[in-house]
PDB file of all heavy atoms in Angstrom:
ATOM      1  N   GLY A 156      21.191  46.102  37.171  1.00 96.00           N
ATOM      2  CA  GLY A 156      21.916  44.842  36.989  1.00 96.00           C
ATOM      3  C   GLY A 156      23.254  45.014  36.305  1.00 96.00           C
ATOM      4  O   GLY A 156      23.971  44.022  36.096  1.00 96.00           O
ATOM      5  N   TYR A 157      23.624  46.226  35.951  1.00 97.00           N
ATOM      6  CA  TYR A 157      24.891  46.489  35.259  1.00 97.00           C
ATOM      7  C   TYR A 157      25.933  47.066  36.216  1.00 97.00           C
ATOM      8  O   TYR A 157      25.598  47.849  37.107  1.00 97.00           O
ATOM      9  CB  TYR A 157      24.691  47.490  34.117  1.00 97.00           C
ATOM     10  CG  TYR A 157      23.938  46.945  32.935  1.00 97.00           C
ATOM     11  CD1 TYR A 157      22.556  47.086  32.840  1.00 97.00           C
ATOM     12  CD2 TYR A 157      24.599  46.296  31.898  1.00 97.00           C
ATOM     13  CE1 TYR A 157      21.850  46.600  31.749  1.00 97.00           C
ATOM     14  CE2 TYR A 157      23.910  45.799  30.800  1.00 97.00           C
ATOM     15  CZ  TYR A 157      22.541  45.949  30.726  1.00 97.00           C
ATOM     16  OH  TYR A 157      21.846  45.460  29.649  1.00 97.00           O
ATOM     17  N   ARG A 158      27.177  46.665  36.021  1.00 96.00           N
ATOM     18  CA  ARG A 158      28.287  47.396  36.630  1.00 96.00           C
ATOM     19  C   ARG A 158      28.569  48.589  35.739  1.00 96.00           C
ATOM     20  O   ARG A 158      29.008  48.437  34.608  1.00 96.00           O
ATOM     21  CB  ARG A 158      29.533  46.512  36.737  1.00 96.00           C
ATOM     22  CG  ARG A 158      29.436  45.422  37.781  1.00 96.00           C
ATOM     23  CD  ARG A 158      30.618  44.474  37.699  1.00 96.00           C
ATOM     24  NE  ARG A 158      31.896  45.152  37.868  1.00 96.00           N
ATOM     25  CZ  ARG A 158      32.874  45.143  36.977  1.00 96.00           C
ATOM     26  NH1 ARG A 158      32.734  44.506  35.817  1.00 96.00           N
ATOM     27  NH2 ARG A 158      34.001  45.777  37.221  1.00 96.00           N
ATOM     28  N   VAL A 159      28.321  49.788  36.262  1.00 97.00           N
ATOM     29  CA  VAL A 159      28.493  50.987  35.447  1.00 97.00           C
ATOM     30  C   VAL A 159      29.962  51.385  35.413  1.00 97.00           C
ATOM     31  O   VAL A 159      30.803  50.843  36.138  1.00 97.00           O
ATOM     32  CB  VAL A 159      27.617  52.142  35.976  1.00 97.00           C
ATOM     33  CG1 VAL A 159      26.148  51.824  35.776  1.00 97.00           C
ATOM     34  CG2 VAL A 159      27.908  52.431  37.445  1.00 97.00           C
ATOM     35  N   LEU A 160      30.272  52.358  34.566  1.00 96.00           N
ATOM     36  CA  LEU A 160      31.656  52.705  34.258  1.00 96.00           C
ATOM     37  C   LEU A 160      32.510  52.962  35.493  1.00 96.00           C
ATOM     38  O   LEU A 160      33.678  52.563  35.543  1.00 96.00           O
ATOM     39  CB  LEU A 160      31.683  53.942  33.351  1.00 96.00           C
ATOM     40  CG  LEU A 160      33.065  54.482  32.980  1.00 96.00           C
ATOM     41  CD1 LEU A 160      33.868  53.433  32.226  1.00 96.00           C
ATOM     42  CD2 LEU A 160      32.921  55.752  32.138  1.00 96.00           C
ATOM     43  N   SER A 161      31.977  53.638  36.500  1.00 94.00           N
ATOM     44  CA  SER A 161      32.769  53.997  37.677  1.00 94.00           C
ATOM     45  C   SER A 161      33.316  52.786  38.414  1.00 94.00           C
ATOM     46  O   SER A 161      34.288  52.902  39.171  1.00 94.00           O
ATOM     47  CB  SER A 161      31.918  54.832  38.638  1.00 94.00           C
ATOM     48  OG  SER A 161      31.574  56.064  38.054  1.00 94.00           O
ATOM     49  N   TYR A 162      32.720  51.614  38.223  1.00 95.00           N
ATOM     50  CA  TYR A 162      33.153  50.401  38.912  1.00 95.00           C
ATOM     51  C   TYR A 162      33.942  49.465  38.005  1.00 95.00           C
ATOM     52  O   TYR A 162      34.267  48.345  38.391  1.00 95.00           O
ATOM     53  CB  TYR A 162      31.943  49.661  39.481  1.00 95.00           C
ATOM     54  CG  TYR A 162      31.245  50.434  40.578  1.00 95.00           C
ATOM     55  CD1 TYR A 162      30.127  51.208  40.296  1.00 95.00           C
ATOM     56  CD2 TYR A 162      31.719  50.406  41.882  1.00 95.00           C
ATOM     57  CE1 TYR A 162      29.493  51.938  41.294  1.00 95.00           C
ATOM     58  CE2 TYR A 162      31.097  51.123  42.882  1.00 95.00           C
ATOM     59  CZ  TYR A 162      29.984  51.886  42.581  1.00 95.00           C
ATOM     60  OH  TYR A 162      29.368  52.609  43.576  1.00 95.00           O
ATOM     61  N   ILE A 163      34.244  49.905  36.794  1.00 95.00           N
ATOM     62  CA  ILE A 163      34.930  49.056  35.824  1.00 95.00           C
ATOM     63  C   ILE A 163      36.389  49.467  35.717  1.00 95.00           C
ATOM     64  O   ILE A 163      36.701  50.644  35.523  1.00 95.00           O
ATOM     65  CB  ILE A 163      34.236  49.141  34.445  1.00 95.00           C
ATOM     66  CG1 ILE A 163      32.793  48.626  34.555  1.00 95.00           C
ATOM     67  CG2 ILE A 163      35.003  48.343  33.406  1.00 95.00           C
ATOM     68  CD1 ILE A 163      31.999  48.768  33.273  1.00 95.00           C
ATOM     69  N   ASP A 164      37.290  48.506  35.846  1.00 94.00           N
ATOM     70  CA  ASP A 164      38.722  48.781  35.752  1.00 94.00           C
ATOM     71  C   ASP A 164      39.111  49.101  34.308  1.00 94.00           C
ATOM     72  O   ASP A 164      38.522  48.551  33.366  1.00 94.00           O
ATOM     73  CB  ASP A 164      39.503  47.562  36.242  1.00 94.00           C
ATOM     74  CG  ASP A 164      40.994  47.833  36.327  1.00 94.00           C
ATOM     75  OD1 ASP A 164      41.406  48.528  37.276  1.00 94.00           O
ATOM     76  OD2 ASP A 164      41.739  47.359  35.445  1.00 94.00           O
ATOM     77  N   PRO A 165      40.101  49.992  34.088  1.00 93.00           N
ATOM     78  CA  PRO A 165      40.534  50.307  32.728  1.00 93.00           C
ATOM     79  C   PRO A 165      40.976  49.106  31.902  1.00 93.00           C
ATOM     80  O   PRO A 165      40.970  49.155  30.670  1.00 93.00           O
ATOM     81  CB  PRO A 165      41.705  51.276  32.949  1.00 93.00           C
ATOM     82  CG  PRO A 165      41.398  51.930  34.252  1.00 93.00           C
ATOM     83  CD  PRO A 165      40.754  50.863  35.085  1.00 93.00           C
ATOM     84  N   SER A 166      41.363  48.016  32.563  1.00 92.00           N
ATOM     85  CA  SER A 166      41.790  46.822  31.834  1.00 92.00           C
ATOM     86  C   SER A 166      40.615  46.046  31.248  1.00 92.00           C
ATOM     87  O   SER A 166      40.810  45.188  30.382  1.00 92.00           O
ATOM     88  CB  SER A 166      42.592  45.894  32.754  1.00 92.00           C
ATOM     89  OG  SER A 166      41.765  45.402  33.809  1.00 92.00           O
ATOM     90  N   GLU A 167      39.400  46.314  31.698  1.00 95.00           N
ATOM     91  CA  GLU A 167      38.228  45.591  31.211  1.00 95.00           C
ATOM     92  C   GLU A 167      37.785  46.171  29.862  1.00 95.00           C
ATOM     93  O   GLU A 167      37.790  47.400  29.668  1.00 95.00           O
ATOM     94  CB  GLU A 167      37.095  45.671  32.233  1.00 95.00           C
ATOM     95  CG  GLU A 167      37.447  45.024  33.564  1.00 95.00           C
ATOM     96  CD  GLU A 167      36.314  45.102  34.564  1.00 95.00           C
ATOM     97  OE1 GLU A 167      35.307  44.381  34.385  1.00 95.00           O
ATOM     98  OE2 GLU A 167      36.424  45.899  35.522  1.00 95.00           O
ATOM     99  N   PRO A 168      37.385  45.310  28.922  1.00 93.00           N
ATOM    100  CA  PRO A 168      37.062  45.763  27.559  1.00 93.00           C
ATOM    101  C   PRO A 168      35.983  46.843  27.502  1.00 93.00           C
ATOM    102  O   PRO A 168      36.035  47.738  26.644  1.00 93.00           O
ATOM    103  CB  PRO A 168      36.581  44.469  26.873  1.00 93.00           C
ATOM    104  CG  PRO A 168      37.220  43.367  27.649  1.00 93.00           C
ATOM    105  CD  PRO A 168      37.283  43.850  29.066  1.00 93.00           C
TER     106      PRO A 168
END
Side-chain angles (χ1 to χ4, degrees):
Y157 289 92
R158 288 172 58 239
V159 293
L160 177 61
S161 295
Y162 294 97
I163 298 176
D164 187 75
S166 65
E167 298 180 72

